[in-house]
Amino acid sequence: SIYVGVDNYAAMRQMAAHLYEDHGYRKFWLMMGPEDNYESNERQRAVLDYLREKDIVPGPDDIVHADFDYQAGALAYRELRRTHDDLPDAIICVNDNQAIAVCEEASREGLKVPDDFAVTGFDNFDKAGFYDPRITTMENVREDMGALAVDCLEKIWNGEQVPDIVYNKVTFLKQESCGCHPPESDIRSVLKKQVLENIIGDIYSNELLDLESVLM
């Protein structure tokens, strides 16, 4: 089988290194996905490996596992707060949904991200860039990943050799939720991008329907 996806381990090590080296954070909580999820486990392993190299070993209460949606993130944050008397320097979340949930729950307590603690996500969903503060995250363009998968299939059909693992490019976006100060985003260009993506999405849906018809 061939894996086409993200190098979760390398990306999350980069995230942990930024928090430790650039911001000087030393106390971390980890909010990860379900315990049987491969991508979440790779992200968790990367963070823990990096922290151990720096002689930081999070305790069992410093790591929680939850689903990838907003509500699960909110519940997981409450669990972390319930089991701790003090705050961390940073909460590393498995994705942007959880990260925004943490920010919202913290706000209800009168806490502010990143003043009271930093928060990071993963995926760079649109909500990460529009939220206040903008979420520090890893951008994984799923359309590019789909194109890579199709390229691999085409090579296989043509009898060409394909690596067992093909990684999609991930871009580290250092934004406000970790304490960075990126330039203000151009909202008009972001909205223009969204409009074009919607148009491309409609075209893709129509082409997919045509393909399904032909295959049937």
Side-chain angles (χ1 to χ4, degrees):
S1 61
I2 297 169
Y3 173 81
V4 178
V6 175
D7 189 345
N8 291 281
Y9 186 90
M12 209 54 135
R13 269 192 71 99
Q14 187 180 5
M15 180 79 76
H18 172 67
L19 296 174
Y20 181 93
E21 297 169 16
D22 297 337
H23 291 290
Y25 299 145
R26 296 295 183 268
K27 183 174 181 180
F28 298 89
W29 292 350
L30 276 62
M31 188 181 294
M32 296 288 107
E35 293 186 72
D36 60 352
N37 182 272
Y38 169 77
E39 290 198 311
S40 173
N41 288 338
E42 283 294 285
R43 294 174 193 180
Q44 176 176 315
R45 185 169 68 88
V47 175
L48 294 180
D49 284 352
Y50 180 85
L51 294 181
R52 288 190 189 103
E53 292 170 12
K54 304 300 180 182
D55 296 321
I56 299 174
V57 182
D61 290 340
D62 297 333
I63 305 172
V64 294
H65 295 89
D67 285 335
F68 295 102
D69 60 279
Y70 175 96
Q71 188 60 32
L75 292 173
Y77 172 78
R78 292 176 206 158
E79 175 66 14
L80 285 168
R81 292 288 285 126
R82 185 185 66 80
T83 55
H84 294 80
D85 294 326
D86 52 358
L87 294 171
D89 295 329
I91 301 178
I92 300 176
C93 299
V94 76
N95 71 355
D96 297 335
N97 289 331
Q98 287 189 359
I100 290 175
V102 169
C103 293
E104 284 293 298
E105 290 298 309
S107 178
R108 292 189 178 97
E109 295 181 282
L111 301 173
K112 187 174 177 61
V113 174
D115 295 349
D116 291 294
F117 55 82
V119 174
T120 64
F122 203 106
D123 290 322
N124 191 33
F125 296 141
D126 287 338
K127 63 190 75 173
F130 285 123
Y131 190 73
D132 183 16
R134 285 176 284 171
I135 303 298
T136 293
T137 187
M138 291 287 175
E139 182 177 45
N140 170 35
V141 180
R142 284 169 165 74
E143 292 81 2
D144 292 346
M145 193 158 58
L148 279 176
V150 172
D151 287 343
C152 288
L153 285 173
E154 188 173 22
K155 288 177 181 177
I156 292 170
W157 290 333
N158 292 333
E160 300 176 39
Q161 290 294 318
V162 176
D164 292 337
I165 299 175
V166 179
Y167 286 131
N168 191 35
K169 179 183 176 182
V170 175
T171 303
F172 187 15
L173 302 178
K174 303 170 186 176
Q175 307 199 108
E176 296 162 343
S177 69
C178 71
C180 284
H181 302 284
E184 289 296 322
S185 59
D186 184 349
I187 298 299
R188 289 181 65 87
S189 67
V190 174
L191 292 175
K192 177 181 177 180
K193 178 184 174 185
Q194 274 196 321
V195 169
L196 294 175
E197 286 177 349
N198 289 337
I199 292 171
I200 293 170
D202 290 340
I203 294 171
Y204 170 77
S205 295
N206 290 332
E207 290 177 345
L208 188 60
L209 289 172
D210 291 341
L211 176 61
E212 289 176 351
S213 177
V214 172
L215 290 176
M216 289 296 290

